[in-house]
Amino acid sequence: MSTRLYEHDIFLEHRTPEGHPERADRLRSLAIALQHPNFEKLDRKKAPQASEDAVLLAHPEEHLRAVVREIPEEDEVHQIEADTYVGPRSLEAALTGVGAATAAVDDVFTGAADNVFVAARPPGHHAEKTKAMGFCLFNNAAIAARHAQKTYGVERVAIVDWDVHHGNGTQDIFWDDPSVLFCSTHQMPLYPWTGAKDETGTKGNIVNAPLEKDSASEHFREAFKSRVIPALENFRPDFLIISAGFDAHHRDPLAQINLVGDDFDWATGRLMEIAGKYAGNRLISLLEGGYDLEGLAESAGLHICRLMKG
């Protein structure tokens, strides 16, 4: 398989307070892991910056303007929500994350790559249609889905989110849109306190598979087998997006799910099978959470290896 990686130094410039779990060291740890010879054939590209108009694919103008107003002009950090912060270059970083996500869509639809991993921060899946929250400013997965629909006429986009925190933002944006299937495995109860099984969207296109505290590999895999994969088989997506958070790893400090790196390898393989069966292998993966540096590097590394192997 031809796998492309989008990265950029600007992602290190998104500022959060000292001690905040969503920090630049996350990407530094992943970069070190990707120096291994296993990744020699990884097609590394510098992420492009999107225009502000790209944000409007999934968010209204007032949300964009609200984020822009919060960006400080001087060397300081502004708190814009309970745990969401911005610094002087956070808008540039967020727009580059959007640019990488939309470029990844272009790559798989033009044949430039079979699949793509975007190593960006800030993450995106908690960003609702009109609200920045949970470390997230703009919803990269939602923007990528809308870009695929607008630019390539894609009829059915599936987004699978295995971050340990429920992707409330993605659910909010596609709540009443049957052209997008959103599937999520996550710990519950846990921030953001959404994601119950009975949250199905107005068109039945939302599939939540919550996991109890202290769940392990067998529970995660059973949720995939019993809820996520059947939903994907029924939906038959033309394109698949992974919201790839790695904070369900047993080392992660923000949750209590006990996955290991091999679980992310396994889940990647199952989703690649779906992409191969229905979507011409068209799949992109966007980094979301993962706050233990060792757990993130291990899990994301195995995920990318699986993307490369096919």
Side-chain angles (χ1 to χ4, degrees):
M1 301 290 283
S2 167
T3 299
R4 179 165 285 181
L5 169 72
Y6 278 110
E7 54 193 349
H8 199 295
D9 286 347
I10 190 61
F11 299 135
L12 304 176
E13 299 296 321
H14 168 56
R15 296 270 302 280
T16 55
E18 186 73 25
H20 194 282
E22 205 298 284
R23 60 206 191 277
D25 283 345
R26 299 176 62 232
L27 295 188
R28 294 188 181 103
S29 68
L30 178 56
I32 292 170
L34 296 181
Q35 292 174 6
H36 191 279
N38 285 346
F39 302 101
E40 284 180 353
K41 294 184 178 180
L42 188 60
D43 180 21
R44 300 167 186 256
K45 297 291 184 182
K46 188 175 182 179
Q49 183 175 327
S51 69
E52 292 185 356
D53 286 346
V55 175
L56 306 183
L57 290 170
H59 299 280
E61 177 81 25
E62 54 263 34
H63 173 71
L64 171 63
R65 292 297 136 220
V67 172
V68 171
R69 285 194 298 270
E70 294 288 349
I71 302 299
E73 294 183 1
E74 300 180 358
D75 188 22
E76 57 187 48
V77 176
H78 279 184
Q79 182 179 20
I80 65 173
E81 198 260 345
D83 51 13
T84 307
Y85 297 83
V86 291
R89 303 198 72 185
S90 293
L91 178 63
E92 189 178 347
L95 289 175
T96 304
V98 170
T102 55
V105 175
D106 295 337
D107 290 340
V108 298
F109 277 94
T110 61
D114 292 311
N115 54 58
V116 182
F117 182 77
V118 174
R121 57 182 293 273
H125 74 146
H126 290 309
E128 297 184 345
K129 190 178 297 184
T130 61
K131 184 177 182 181
M133 60 181 290
F135 313 162
C136 305
L137 304 180
F138 307 131
N139 196 306
N140 298 326
I143 293 168
R146 290 296 190 219
H147 178 64
Q149 292 176 324
K150 179 180 179 181
T151 306
Y152 300 100
V154 177
E155 294 183 0
R156 295 180 304 280
V157 180
I159 302 173
V160 177
D161 187 333
W162 65 48
D163 191 288
V164 82
H165 302 96
H166 181 243
N168 61 294
T170 313
Q171 175 172 289
D172 173 65
I173 291 168
F174 297 115
W175 183 256
D176 57 0
D177 184 352
S179 72
V180 177
L181 173 71
F182 176 65
C183 301
S184 176
T185 62
H186 49 273
Q187 181 176 330
M188 188 176 182
L190 189 69
Y191 180 90
W193 319 111
T194 55
K197 283 185 178 180
D198 62 2
E199 296 172 22
T200 59
T202 60
K203 308 295 184 180
N205 59 305
I206 306 295
V207 178
N208 287 309
L211 302 171
E212 294 182 359
K213 176 183 177 182
D214 297 323
S215 293
S217 300
E218 61 269 24
H219 307 103
F220 171 72
R221 297 190 187 204
E222 175 57 28
F224 245 70
K225 292 175 184 176
S226 65
R227 292 185 63 77
V228 176
I229 298 301
L232 290 167
E233 290 279 3
N234 184 63
F235 187 68
R236 302 169 66 92
D238 302 311
F239 174 47
L240 202 152
I241 300 170
I242 303 175
S243 274
F246 299 100
D247 39 8
H249 191 278
H250 68 92
R251 291 179 56 94
D252 202 274
L254 297 192
Q256 297 83 37
I257 300 295
N258 298 312
L259 301 191
V260 296
D262 285 346
D263 293 315
F264 298 105
D265 172 273
W266 176 85
T268 305
R270 301 294 76 74
L271 296 183
M272 291 180 74
E273 289 171 3
I274 294 292
K277 190 174 182 179
Y278 300 114
N281 292 315
R282 292 184 293 266
L283 180 153
I284 69 170
S285 177
L286 312 178
L287 178 63
E288 300 285 2
Y291 305 104
D292 177 81
L293 301 184
E294 183 179 325
L296 171 62
E298 176 201 7
S299 303
L302 288 167
H303 171 59
I304 295 169
C305 267
R306 175 56 59 187
L307 292 176
M308 295 173 69
K309 290 175 183 175

